[in-house]
Amino acid sequence: MAEAYATLAKPTILVVEDEAPLLTLLRYNLEKQGFRVEEAADGQEALLRVAEARPDLVLLDWMLPALSGIEVCRQLRRRPGTRDLPIIMVTARTEDQDAVRALDTGADDYIAKPFVMEALLARIRALLRRSSGVAVKGTLTYRDLTMDQDAHRVSRGGRALHLGPTEYRLMEFFLSHPGRVFTREQLLDAVWGRDIHVEPRTVDVHIRRLRKAINADHEPDLIRTVRSAGYALDSEDH
Ligand code: CA
């Protein structure tokens, strides 16, 4: 646990950004908040820096030379060592399509340029909170699904599942209240926190990712969609 607290005390953020003035501004603000900052100016360098610096979170610009942010994100998600690394994608465009694409590629959150520094810092803090687990630990189960909160492991029918930090928190929340239906707003409050603004449709994207992670082809879907209400951990086949 000492190690976890040490990490919590001063988390390292890798900022991947090719605009030097913005990089300087981000470094200044992040360091002021007590974060350690590592930098990369293009996609190739980002992949190298992740391996060397082992950051707690990556702030990843979408438009980058050498390798786009989307491609970097895809590659990090493919590697076992960085599959669960918290990633916030910075998009230059405001279209919803881009946000959904960023999340579908495996980013945990996104923010559109130009952004307010306080909003970005709130998202970074919220994501680090989600990825660092909870204080009360134990084992949660539902049908053939098991979550070992001490080891931070989730399995279904003995098969290890790989969940991103947001999916893990969603699963943890559902497992703490099996069978109960939650609205998107309730899930946002419980998993993302009240202090940041997130579009309700973001919940749908993460539910889709959670389903993909926990349900193999032949297995019943353990998450029930309740039309015009929300979601529940509750399979429909019984
Ligand atoms: Ca850029």
Side-chain angles (χ1 to χ4, degrees):
M1 273 292 85
E3 199 190 335
Y5 281 113
T7 309
L8 278 179
K10 206 161 192 182
T12 301
I13 314 254
L14 173 65
V15 181
V16 187
E17 175 59 68
D18 59 316
E19 290 167 50
L22 181 54
L23 187 57
T24 304
L25 186 71
L26 285 165
R27 173 183 277 282
Y28 171 78
N29 281 281
L30 289 168
E31 284 179 345
K32 208 167 76 177
Q33 295 286 315
F35 295 114
R36 277 189 51 219
V37 176
E38 294 284 340
E39 303 177 349
D42 66 54
Q44 293 287 8
E45 198 189 343
L47 292 173
L48 290 174
R49 293 305 298 144
V50 165
E52 290 163 1
R54 303 177 148 271
D56 297 287
L57 184 147
V58 181
L59 188 61
L60 182 60
D61 188 26
W62 178 309
M63 303 293 280
L64 288 169
L67 206 59
S68 75
I70 282 282
E71 189 49 36
V72 171
C73 186
R74 199 171 283 136
Q75 293 203 24
L76 289 174
R77 285 295 176 254
R78 247 188 251 133
R79 300 175 182 185
T82 54
R83 193 177 283 157
D84 304 332
L85 179 63
I87 299 173
I88 297 180
M89 187 79 81
V90 181
T91 68
R93 332 174 241 193
T94 50
E95 287 103 61
D96 284 354
Q97 283 300 97
D98 289 338
V100 170
R101 211 181 132 209
L103 295 172
D104 276 343
T105 309
D108 297 289
D109 201 356
Y110 68 91
I111 191 160
K113 282 182 183 174
F115 50 80
V116 177
M117 193 57 71
E118 263 317 309
L120 175 65
L121 294 172
R123 276 161 187 268
I124 288 173
R125 283 193 295 265
L127 182 54
L128 284 172
R129 210 161 49 228
R130 294 208 290 284
S131 62
S132 60
V134 290
V136 184
K137 307 204 170 202
T139 300
L140 298 170
T141 58
Y142 177 75
R143 301 191 77 195
D144 55 350
L145 202 71
T146 302
M147 173 178 280
D148 177 343
Q149 293 174 297
D150 295 305
H152 216 76
R153 288 202 182 103
V154 188
S155 62
R156 181 166 184 188
R159 179 179 89 255
L161 306 177
H162 300 283
L163 308 183
T166 306
E167 286 69 52
Y168 185 92
R169 282 280 300 233
L170 263 176
M171 192 72 253
E172 193 172 46
F173 184 68
F174 278 134
L175 281 168
S176 305
H177 313 86
R180 215 174 117 186
V181 179
F182 293 99
T183 65
R184 288 169 181 77
E185 286 73 21
Q186 285 171 327
L187 292 171
L188 283 174
D189 279 352
V191 175
W192 280 259
R194 285 169 189 270
D195 53 338
I196 58 167
H197 175 74
V198 180
E199 292 296 325
R201 59 184 284 166
T202 299
V203 174
D204 301 336
V205 174
H206 286 282
I207 290 282
R208 196 156 69 231
R209 278 164 60 174
L210 182 59
R211 277 190 167 127
K212 208 172 145 197
I214 67 171
N215 302 320
D217 290 343
H218 58 284
E219 290 170 336
D221 187 357
L222 294 183
I223 298 179
R224 186 160 59 96
T225 302
V226 184
R227 228 169 275 282
S228 74
Y231 298 101
L233 179 67
D234 185 11
S235 60
E236 297 184 69
D237 70 328
H238 74 140

